[in-house]
Amino acid sequence: MFQLDSLTSKIVLYSTLVLMVLFAFFPIYWMAITSFKSSGEVIQSPPTFYPHNFTLEHYITAITDQNLLTYLKNSLIVAGLTSLLSVIISSYAAYSFSKYRYSGRKSLMGLVLSAQLFPKAVLLITLYLMMQRLGLIDTYPALILSFTTFTLPLTTWMLKSYFDEIPKEVLESAYIDGASRLQMLHQIALPLTMPGLIATALFAFIRGWNDFIFALTLTSSDAMRTLPPGLTLSYLGQFESSWAGMMAASLITSIPVIVLFILLQRYLIKGLMAGAVD
Amino acid sequence: MFTKRKITLSLILVLTLTLVLGSFSTVAVAQDKEEIVWAGWSGEEESSAPSIEWMMSSWEEKQDKAEVKWQGWPWSEAQRQMILRIKGGNAPDLAQLDVSWLSAFTELGALADLNNVFDEEYLQDKYVDSMLKAGRMNGKQVALPWTLASIGMIANPVILEKAGISQLPTTIDQFKKACEKIKEYDSDIIPYAAMTKRGATLKDFQAWLWTFGGRIFDDEGNVVINSDATINALEWYKEMLEKGYIETGMSRFDARELFANEKVGFYDDAILAKGILRSKSGMGKDFDKYMTPMLRPVLEYGDKPQSMLWGHMLVMFKQSDKKEVTADFMDYVTSTEVGLQYFENLGLPPVTEEAQTAKALTSDPWAKSWSQITKYGSPNEFWPYPDYAQLNTIFGEEVQSVLVGKKSPEKAAEAMEKRIKSQIEG
Amino acid sequence: MFKNVSKLIRGEGLSDAQFGVLLVLPALSILATIILYPLLNSVILGFFDASLLSGREGWVGIQQFVELLQSPRFHETLINTVIFVGGATLLSFVLGFALALVLNQNLRGRGFLRGSFILPWITPGVVASFLWMWIFHQHYGVVNSVLSQLGIIDGPIAWLSSSGWAMVSVIIAKSWKSFPWFMVLLLAGLQTIPDQEIEAARIDGAGKIQIFRYIIIPHIRFIIFVVTLLGAIWNFQHFQIIWIMTEGGPAHTTTTLAIEVYQTAFQAWDLGKAGAIGLIWMVILTIFILVYLRLSGGVEDVSA
């Protein structure tokens, strides 16, 4: 876009790039090497920039930690079920927003969209009371139900944009062939948007994987905790001051999400506009 | 027949079923043994976890009616999480409580009266009177003592000697001078690792408040914290920070870690510090010569050295439907045999009359020094209030605000009084 | 009768519009139950004296609101929120935009770079919090170490336990996590600018700054607007990083509205007050959005 004629502009460009690379990636590098250092080396001052005593002990501790495995399992189950539920329910709404016209449609769309901007902490007050009254504190349903508050708007919006991409003619020809409206949805639209459906489900999964405040408050036992509050309570409590261990557990937690994102590269922009992740 | 749609649908169905079934797998398999749930935090801490496990497994071996399951959180979370579970109708059977939480839990009406499961005389014979009394509230025996001592100060005599300090400081002035000498000797060493990090450990400051003659409440329960004594104490604390004798952001975990690495001259801890420091330093018993208990310095000669009473209690919850079995376990955990072993592992004093005369206790210099500290111990002034946690938070926050320079000591003392009053009345 | 019910479920005999509404109902009813109702209930609690331990105790009208609005501590919370939202959004935007401009040049490996730069953003919030706590650690952190070795500071800065630096730390940590989001969207916007226009301007003798002001900015005005608005709203809400790194401390100096609501409800057990804070929060958020919309001179609908 800009002509890189003068030396100055080249310098500005490349130094900006270098600075940004440092800012973005050095912390991750730091996390990684800390996790491979022995506990003694970690608290050396000045710190070493590569592990002098390379060790895998923290990873072994993390992987054999019963609690960590429990948190992992819980995160998988809760995020997975939430994502599934959201996609199924919102696909109908998304299809409706995309293909049908009725008064109030735009307002409803706006409402659904803005629902994810409401402060979670405020919602939590009543959600907590509700779950308590239903006796659901510290159970999967409590988490799944409350997670849908931020996955449903996301999946609705994303799926709508995928449904938008289906050409009118495809659906019209099906209609002419005598398909009922539901059949059009189930047998034509859904299969056509399958990649988009999967991408949406995975974004919702990531949201559920990363949630902290709901999982922290709605669970009270280690057996039910997901990774974010579980790790936090472990490493700001029992394992406080075990920085290398904390970094190892952090890396382990990040890997599923990173892998998913590599797979989802293509769908990135759509997901981002929908505000996925935060 | 195998349309894309059908395959997709069946995949989704299978996935859902798997996930749903997986979620049900957390339901416990039917057992013929009863299971009681023990909640607390000591099982989460590196130094005490083995003792907790040993207590549970040795009891399980002794009888085959029941098993114990541990539910733990970090200490800073434990009270809140327990209350949440009680409110959710999902209380554990028994719990380890910090002695200062008894009031809040009693107010909740959650604790069982142990005189209904134990014989009153049996309890009175078994436990040291003052310790048993600590578990009585409103005429009911709501808790059994598990260990009681005081939070005191610990010094590193090796560092002191190298810094040219010949005796443990006994007055505030001597203490300041000692800190100065340590700083001169080695600027990398933190003279006094006082508790200044966010969280409930800021309550340690109360002991200094008392040292300067201040109090939060008077005998009638009026809030009197806004006093010259309080302001002096806060000013002193601030001065200590400015001179570099204390640091901000210091937690008890940090302090222990640093002390175990000989980077701290003085710090505050409970009697169990011995076991913790031994293991953290990696030296085991060899580390003993680097640590010694110390009476808190006083303002003027002749004042009593102050300390905050500290301890763990065991409670049983009304919601428990396995009270007899739970009582048996509680009895076991607080027994002389277990208590003395606990003492050997972690230095925590046992609570039975019988154990007080045990040789292990009387011949242990650490425990003996510590009983001196406990002699003048006073309870945290917020103990009797159900709002204990929030009151501590208010107190700690205002102390912090002086340290970070946000408020002057005068303003902080004023704010403390105002906020404490409003919290109690509101 | 059953035939009619199943007909209804299959949506036959309904007009297209009615069918459309039927499809939306499941999602709407769920949203109403778990978002609308809780939201309304939470803010209504602001008019009651309610505790987590004992439930609703009595109507107190606007008393809690008045107390809050007069409380200096609450004012501080508001100021903290403004500083955090402003600081984090601005920093994220600047970083994201700078990077977007750089990546928009035809550099080698651009696709790869763009892909890898989203790494901070996809790092789970817990991990980012731990990471920056470690980097900013007073004694063992790399920042203090590097700064003192470079001679920039005398002694270690207590990043997370000093009243000013704590806010700086959480802003930096949050911006690290958020800037890739800004970058990707801004980059997408930049790439829609037709090269010919820039070429034409250059041929006409326009300098870089002029090209920037008169061609680039107008083209991406809309994206900038959306990105900063959404980013600010997310920051308004943000809880995790601050909670883990400082828990709102030291001495209340990093407590934003989100932290305050949480602490009031789940530490002080005061639901009424928390609800009141929540309502004030929603009002501020709404005013902010409206003002922002007005200031941006009526940009088109976001149904793109």
Side-chain angles (χ1 to χ4, degrees), chain B residues 4 16 21 45 47 49 56-57 61 102 151 156-157 163 167-168 173 193-195 303 325 332 334 357 361 394:
Chain B
K4 227 161 130 197
T16 321
L21 285 176
E45 293 179 11
S47 50
M56 299 196 299
S57 57
E61 272 166 38
L102 275 182
I151 295 187
N156 184 328
Q167 279 182 331
L168 290 177
D173 282 332
M195 300 292 96
D303 285 349
V325 165
Y332 175 70
T334 54
T357 48
L361 231 76
I394 292 175

PDB file of all heavy atoms in Angstrom, chain B residues 4 16 21 45 47 49 56-57 61 102 151 156-157 163 167-168 173 193-195 303 325 332 334 357 361 394:
ATOM      1  N   LYS B   4     -26.406 -37.889   3.239  1.00  0.00           N
ATOM      2  CA  LYS B   4     -25.469 -37.093   4.035  1.00  0.00           C
ATOM      3  C   LYS B   4     -26.148 -36.647   5.328  1.00  0.00           C
ATOM      4  O   LYS B   4     -25.584 -36.632   6.403  1.00  0.00           O
ATOM      5  CB  LYS B   4     -25.057 -35.866   3.222  1.00  0.00           C
ATOM      6  CG  LYS B   4     -23.561 -35.611   3.219  1.00  0.00           C
ATOM      7  CD  LYS B   4     -23.182 -34.708   2.063  1.00  0.00           C
ATOM      8  CE  LYS B   4     -22.322 -33.560   2.572  1.00  0.00           C
ATOM      9  NZ  LYS B   4     -22.233 -32.446   1.655  1.00  0.00           N
ATOM     10  N   THR B  16     -23.797 -36.730  21.100  1.00  0.00           N
ATOM     11  CA  THR B  16     -24.566 -36.265  22.244  1.00  0.00           C
ATOM     12  C   THR B  16     -24.659 -37.349  23.297  1.00  0.00           C
ATOM     13  O   THR B  16     -24.430 -37.117  24.477  1.00  0.00           O
ATOM     14  CB  THR B  16     -25.985 -35.878  21.822  1.00  0.00           C
ATOM     15  OG1 THR B  16     -25.930 -35.232  20.567  1.00  0.00           O
ATOM     16  CG2 THR B  16     -26.633 -35.001  22.858  1.00  0.00           C
ATOM     17  N   LEU B  21     -23.713 -39.473  28.477  1.00  0.00           N
ATOM     18  CA  LEU B  21     -23.355 -40.610  29.308  1.00  0.00           C
ATOM     19  C   LEU B  21     -22.099 -40.323  30.087  1.00  0.00           C
ATOM     20  O   LEU B  21     -21.975 -40.686  31.253  1.00  0.00           O
ATOM     21  CB  LEU B  21     -23.158 -41.860  28.423  1.00  0.00           C
ATOM     22  CG  LEU B  21     -24.457 -42.467  27.907  1.00  0.00           C
ATOM     23  CD1 LEU B  21     -24.164 -43.618  26.960  1.00  0.00           C
ATOM     24  CD2 LEU B  21     -25.303 -42.965  29.077  1.00  0.00           C
ATOM     25  N   GLU B  45      -2.396 -28.204  50.901  1.00  0.00           N
ATOM     26  CA  GLU B  45      -1.078 -27.599  51.049  1.00  0.00           C
ATOM     27  C   GLU B  45      -0.019 -28.672  51.099  1.00  0.00           C
ATOM     28  O   GLU B  45      -0.157 -29.690  51.762  1.00  0.00           O
ATOM     29  CB  GLU B  45      -1.047 -26.712  52.300  1.00  0.00           C
ATOM     30  CG  GLU B  45      -1.963 -25.505  52.123  1.00  0.00           C
ATOM     31  CD  GLU B  45      -1.994 -24.600  53.339  1.00  0.00           C
ATOM     32  OE1 GLU B  45      -1.149 -24.800  54.232  1.00  0.00           O
ATOM     33  OE2 GLU B  45      -2.856 -23.725  53.387  1.00  0.00           O
ATOM     34  N   SER B  47       2.776 -29.147  52.538  1.00  0.00           N
ATOM     35  CA  SER B  47       3.395 -29.668  53.747  1.00  0.00           C
ATOM     36  C   SER B  47       2.427 -30.480  54.585  1.00  0.00           C
ATOM     37  O   SER B  47       2.842 -31.394  55.294  1.00  0.00           O
ATOM     38  CB  SER B  47       3.952 -28.521  54.579  1.00  0.00           C
ATOM     39  OG  SER B  47       2.936 -27.545  54.733  1.00  0.00           O
ATOM     40  N   ALA B  49      -0.579 -31.958  53.370  1.00  0.00           N
ATOM     41  CA  ALA B  49      -1.369 -32.963  52.636  1.00  0.00           C
ATOM     42  C   ALA B  49      -1.050 -34.397  53.053  1.00  0.00           C
ATOM     43  O   ALA B  49      -1.973 -35.192  53.267  1.00  0.00           O
ATOM     44  CB  ALA B  49      -1.199 -32.768  51.132  1.00  0.00           C
ATOM     45  N   MET B  56      -6.716 -39.974  57.171  1.00  0.00           N
ATOM     46  CA  MET B  56      -7.894 -40.596  56.563  1.00  0.00           C
ATOM     47  C   MET B  56      -7.665 -42.105  56.366  1.00  0.00           C
ATOM     48  O   MET B  56      -8.506 -42.928  56.718  1.00  0.00           O
ATOM     49  CB  MET B  56      -8.229 -39.926  55.224  1.00  0.00           C
ATOM     50  CG  MET B  56      -8.543 -38.448  55.374  1.00  0.00           C
ATOM     51  SD  MET B  56      -9.379 -37.707  53.943  1.00  0.00           S
ATOM     52  CE  MET B  56      -8.180 -37.952  52.669  1.00  0.00           C
ATOM     53  N   SER B  57      -6.495 -42.441  55.837  1.00  0.00           N
ATOM     54  CA  SER B  57      -6.294 -43.861  55.538  1.00  0.00           C
ATOM     55  C   SER B  57      -6.114 -44.680  56.798  1.00  0.00           C
ATOM     56  O   SER B  57      -6.582 -45.822  56.877  1.00  0.00           O
ATOM     57  CB  SER B  57      -5.108 -44.056  54.589  1.00  0.00           C
ATOM     58  OG  SER B  57      -3.946 -43.487  55.142  1.00  0.00           O
ATOM     59  N   GLU B  61      -8.439 -47.883  57.887  1.00  0.00           N
ATOM     60  CA  GLU B  61      -7.921 -49.220  58.208  1.00  0.00           C
ATOM     61  C   GLU B  61      -8.457 -49.720  59.539  1.00  0.00           C
ATOM     62  O   GLU B  61      -8.719 -50.896  59.724  1.00  0.00           O
ATOM     63  CB  GLU B  61      -6.394 -49.178  58.278  1.00  0.00           C
ATOM     64  CG  GLU B  61      -5.724 -49.404  56.928  1.00  0.00           C
ATOM     65  CD  GLU B  61      -4.263 -49.020  56.995  1.00  0.00           C
ATOM     66  OE1 GLU B  61      -3.632 -49.288  58.041  1.00  0.00           O
ATOM     67  OE2 GLU B  61      -3.765 -48.445  56.010  1.00  0.00           O
ATOM     68  N   LEU B 102     -15.926 -19.485  63.323  1.00  0.00           N
ATOM     69  CA  LEU B 102     -16.999 -20.154  64.057  1.00  0.00           C
ATOM     70  C   LEU B 102     -18.257 -19.312  64.160  1.00  0.00           C
ATOM     71  O   LEU B 102     -19.357 -19.822  64.044  1.00  0.00           O
ATOM     72  CB  LEU B 102     -16.528 -20.514  65.479  1.00  0.00           C
ATOM     73  CG  LEU B 102     -15.782 -21.841  65.592  1.00  0.00           C
ATOM     74  CD1 LEU B 102     -15.424 -22.112  67.036  1.00  0.00           C
ATOM     75  CD2 LEU B 102     -16.641 -22.970  65.051  1.00  0.00           C
ATOM     76  N   ILE B 151      -0.342 -16.864  66.176  1.00  0.00           N
ATOM     77  CA  ILE B 151       0.552 -16.454  65.097  1.00  0.00           C
ATOM     78  C   ILE B 151       1.646 -15.627  65.746  1.00  0.00           C
ATOM     79  O   ILE B 151       1.379 -14.642  66.421  1.00  0.00           O
ATOM     80  CB  ILE B 151      -0.187 -15.621  64.038  1.00  0.00           C
ATOM     81  CG1 ILE B 151      -1.238 -16.489  63.367  1.00  0.00           C
ATOM     82  CG2 ILE B 151       0.794 -15.090  63.011  1.00  0.00           C
ATOM     83  CD1 ILE B 151      -1.899 -15.832  62.198  1.00  0.00           C
ATOM     84  N   ASN B 156      15.545 -15.356  61.767  1.00  0.00           N
ATOM     85  CA  ASN B 156      16.655 -16.174  61.288  1.00  0.00           C
ATOM     86  C   ASN B 156      17.903 -15.762  62.060  1.00  0.00           C
ATOM     87  O   ASN B 156      18.532 -14.750  61.747  1.00  0.00           O
ATOM     88  CB  ASN B 156      16.838 -15.953  59.789  1.00  0.00           C
ATOM     89  CG  ASN B 156      17.914 -16.861  59.210  1.00  0.00           C
ATOM     90  OD1 ASN B 156      18.884 -17.199  59.881  1.00  0.00           O
ATOM     91  ND2 ASN B 156      17.741 -17.246  57.958  1.00  0.00           N
ATOM     92  N   PRO B 157      18.284 -16.582  63.072  1.00  0.00           N
ATOM     93  CA  PRO B 157      19.402 -16.171  63.941  1.00  0.00           C
ATOM     94  C   PRO B 157      20.727 -16.081  63.197  1.00  0.00           C
ATOM     95  O   PRO B 157      21.587 -15.281  63.555  1.00  0.00           O
ATOM     96  CB  PRO B 157      19.438 -17.260  65.017  1.00  0.00           C
ATOM     97  CG  PRO B 157      18.633 -18.378  64.510  1.00  0.00           C
ATOM     98  CD  PRO B 157      17.701 -17.864  63.473  1.00  0.00           C
ATOM     99  N   ALA B 163      24.578  -9.967  60.680  1.00  0.00           N
ATOM    100  CA  ALA B 163      24.324  -8.524  60.548  1.00  0.00           C
ATOM    101  C   ALA B 163      24.778  -7.759  61.771  1.00  0.00           C
ATOM    102  O   ALA B 163      24.671  -6.546  61.848  1.00  0.00           O
ATOM    103  CB  ALA B 163      22.841  -8.290  60.314  1.00  0.00           C
ATOM    104  N   GLN B 167      21.178  -9.885  70.009  1.00  0.00           N
ATOM    105  CA  GLN B 167      20.011 -10.418  70.725  1.00  0.00           C
ATOM    106  C   GLN B 167      18.763 -10.199  69.896  1.00  0.00           C
ATOM    107  O   GLN B 167      18.683  -9.254  69.139  1.00  0.00           O
ATOM    108  CB  GLN B 167      19.801  -9.645  72.004  1.00  0.00           C
ATOM    109  CG  GLN B 167      20.655 -10.024  73.152  1.00  0.00           C
ATOM    110  CD  GLN B 167      20.239  -9.170  74.336  1.00  0.00           C
ATOM    111  OE1 GLN B 167      19.775  -8.041  74.155  1.00  0.00           O
ATOM    112  NE2 GLN B 167      20.397  -9.692  75.512  1.00  0.00           N
ATOM    113  N   LEU B 168      17.759 -11.034  70.156  1.00  0.00           N
ATOM    114  CA  LEU B 168      16.471 -10.810  69.514  1.00  0.00           C
ATOM    115  C   LEU B 168      15.905  -9.477  70.014  1.00  0.00           C
ATOM    116  O   LEU B 168      15.927  -9.205  71.208  1.00  0.00           O
ATOM    117  CB  LEU B 168      15.488 -11.929  69.852  1.00  0.00           C
ATOM    118  CG  LEU B 168      15.772 -13.300  69.244  1.00  0.00           C
ATOM    119  CD1 LEU B 168      14.744 -14.313  69.725  1.00  0.00           C
ATOM    120  CD2 LEU B 168      15.749 -13.220  67.728  1.00  0.00           C
ATOM    121  N   ASP B 173      11.851  -0.035  68.907  1.00  0.00           N
ATOM    122  CA  ASP B 173      13.078   0.665  68.510  1.00  0.00           C
ATOM    123  C   ASP B 173      14.188  -0.313  68.161  1.00  0.00           C
ATOM    124  O   ASP B 173      14.880  -0.151  67.161  1.00  0.00           O
ATOM    125  CB  ASP B 173      13.546   1.596  69.639  1.00  0.00           C
ATOM    126  CG  ASP B 173      12.726   2.871  69.666  1.00  0.00           C
ATOM    127  OD1 ASP B 173      12.232   3.261  68.581  1.00  0.00           O
ATOM    128  OD2 ASP B 173      12.567   3.462  70.740  1.00  0.00           O
ATOM    129  N   ALA B 193       9.482  -9.582  56.487  1.00  0.00           N
ATOM    130  CA  ALA B 193       8.533  -9.901  55.424  1.00  0.00           C
ATOM    131  C   ALA B 193       7.121  -9.863  55.992  1.00  0.00           C
ATOM    132  O   ALA B 193       6.462 -10.885  56.155  1.00  0.00           O
ATOM    133  CB  ALA B 193       8.858 -11.276  54.847  1.00  0.00           C
ATOM    134  N   ALA B 194       6.632  -8.664  56.269  1.00  0.00           N
ATOM    135  CA  ALA B 194       5.286  -8.524  56.833  1.00  0.00           C
ATOM    136  C   ALA B 194       4.245  -8.849  55.783  1.00  0.00           C
ATOM    137  O   ALA B 194       4.476  -8.687  54.589  1.00  0.00           O
ATOM    138  CB  ALA B 194       5.098  -7.088  57.330  1.00  0.00           C
ATOM    139  N   MET B 195       3.088  -9.291  56.230  1.00  0.00           N
ATOM    140  CA  MET B 195       2.025  -9.654  55.300  1.00  0.00           C
ATOM    141  C   MET B 195       1.368  -8.401  54.750  1.00  0.00           C
ATOM    142  O   MET B 195       0.718  -7.658  55.460  1.00  0.00           O
ATOM    143  CB  MET B 195       0.958 -10.483  56.010  1.00  0.00           C
ATOM    144  CG  MET B 195       1.461 -11.774  56.596  1.00  0.00           C
ATOM    145  SD  MET B 195       1.935 -12.953  55.349  1.00  0.00           S
ATOM    146  CE  MET B 195       3.676 -12.654  55.243  1.00  0.00           C
ATOM    147  N   ASP B 303       5.635  -3.783  78.461  1.00  0.00           N
ATOM    148  CA  ASP B 303       4.391  -4.121  77.779  1.00  0.00           C
ATOM    149  C   ASP B 303       4.361  -5.615  77.497  1.00  0.00           C
ATOM    150  O   ASP B 303       5.400  -6.253  77.370  1.00  0.00           O
ATOM    151  CB  ASP B 303       4.291  -3.371  76.440  1.00  0.00           C
ATOM    152  CG  ASP B 303       3.965  -1.901  76.633  1.00  0.00           C
ATOM    153  OD1 ASP B 303       3.607  -1.514  77.758  1.00  0.00           O
ATOM    154  OD2 ASP B 303       4.075  -1.158  75.639  1.00  0.00           O
ATOM    155  N   VAL B 325     -20.895 -41.880  62.393  1.00  0.00           N
ATOM    156  CA  VAL B 325     -19.629 -42.244  61.771  1.00  0.00           C
ATOM    157  C   VAL B 325     -18.694 -41.043  61.734  1.00  0.00           C
ATOM    158  O   VAL B 325     -17.499 -41.140  62.017  1.00  0.00           O
ATOM    159  CB  VAL B 325     -19.900 -42.761  60.333  1.00  0.00           C
ATOM    160  CG1 VAL B 325     -18.630 -42.793  59.555  1.00  0.00           C
ATOM    161  CG2 VAL B 325     -20.539 -44.116  60.391  1.00  0.00           C
ATOM    162  N   TYR B 332     -11.252 -39.517  66.420  1.00  0.00           N
ATOM    163  CA  TYR B 332      -9.967 -40.107  66.077  1.00  0.00           C
ATOM    164  C   TYR B 332      -8.943 -39.029  65.717  1.00  0.00           C
ATOM    165  O   TYR B 332      -7.818 -39.034  66.194  1.00  0.00           O
ATOM    166  CB  TYR B 332     -10.154 -41.075  64.903  1.00  0.00           C
ATOM    167  CG  TYR B 332      -8.870 -41.644  64.381  1.00  0.00           C
ATOM    168  CD1 TYR B 332      -8.127 -42.558  65.130  1.00  0.00           C
ATOM    169  CD2 TYR B 332      -8.372 -41.283  63.117  1.00  0.00           C
ATOM    170  CE1 TYR B 332      -6.945 -43.080  64.660  1.00  0.00           C
ATOM    171  CE2 TYR B 332      -7.189 -41.806  62.645  1.00  0.00           C
ATOM    172  CZ  TYR B 332      -6.481 -42.702  63.417  1.00  0.00           C
ATOM    173  OH  TYR B 332      -5.301 -43.217  62.941  1.00  0.00           O
ATOM    174  N   THR B 334      -8.714 -35.987  66.538  1.00  0.00           N
ATOM    175  CA  THR B 334      -8.271 -35.113  67.626  1.00  0.00           C
ATOM    176  C   THR B 334      -7.695 -35.900  68.800  1.00  0.00           C
ATOM    177  O   THR B 334      -7.432 -35.353  69.852  1.00  0.00           O
ATOM    178  CB  THR B 334      -9.433 -34.257  68.158  1.00  0.00           C
ATOM    179  OG1 THR B 334     -10.510 -35.142  68.507  1.00  0.00           O
ATOM    180  CG2 THR B 334      -9.896 -33.269  67.119  1.00  0.00           C
ATOM    181  N   THR B 357       1.283 -33.459  78.537  1.00  0.00           N
ATOM    182  CA  THR B 357       2.429 -33.860  79.346  1.00  0.00           C
ATOM    183  C   THR B 357       3.359 -34.779  78.590  1.00  0.00           C
ATOM    184  O   THR B 357       4.349 -35.255  79.123  1.00  0.00           O
ATOM    185  CB  THR B 357       1.946 -34.581  80.617  1.00  0.00           C
ATOM    186  OG1 THR B 357       0.977 -35.559  80.223  1.00  0.00           O
ATOM    187  CG2 THR B 357       1.311 -33.593  81.581  1.00  0.00           C
ATOM    188  N   LEU B 361       6.225 -33.098  73.510  1.00  0.00           N
ATOM    189  CA  LEU B 361       5.872 -31.686  73.595  1.00  0.00           C
ATOM    190  C   LEU B 361       6.806 -30.934  74.521  1.00  0.00           C
ATOM    191  O   LEU B 361       7.339 -29.875  74.196  1.00  0.00           O
ATOM    192  CB  LEU B 361       4.447 -31.570  74.162  1.00  0.00           C
ATOM    193  CG  LEU B 361       3.529 -30.693  73.340  1.00  0.00           C
ATOM    194  CD1 LEU B 361       3.127 -31.475  72.128  1.00  0.00           C
ATOM    195  CD2 LEU B 361       2.319 -30.279  74.118  1.00  0.00           C
ATOM    196  N   ILE B 394     -12.216  -5.239  54.921  1.00  0.00           N
ATOM    197  CA  ILE B 394     -12.220  -3.777  55.073  1.00  0.00           C
ATOM    198  C   ILE B 394     -10.952  -3.337  55.791  1.00  0.00           C
ATOM    199  O   ILE B 394     -10.242  -2.418  55.358  1.00  0.00           O
ATOM    200  CB  ILE B 394     -13.456  -3.332  55.877  1.00  0.00           C
ATOM    201  CG1 ILE B 394     -14.723  -3.584  55.066  1.00  0.00           C
ATOM    202  CG2 ILE B 394     -13.347  -1.875  56.249  1.00  0.00           C
ATOM    203  CD1 ILE B 394     -15.991  -3.287  55.830  1.00  0.00           C
TER     204      ILE B 394
END
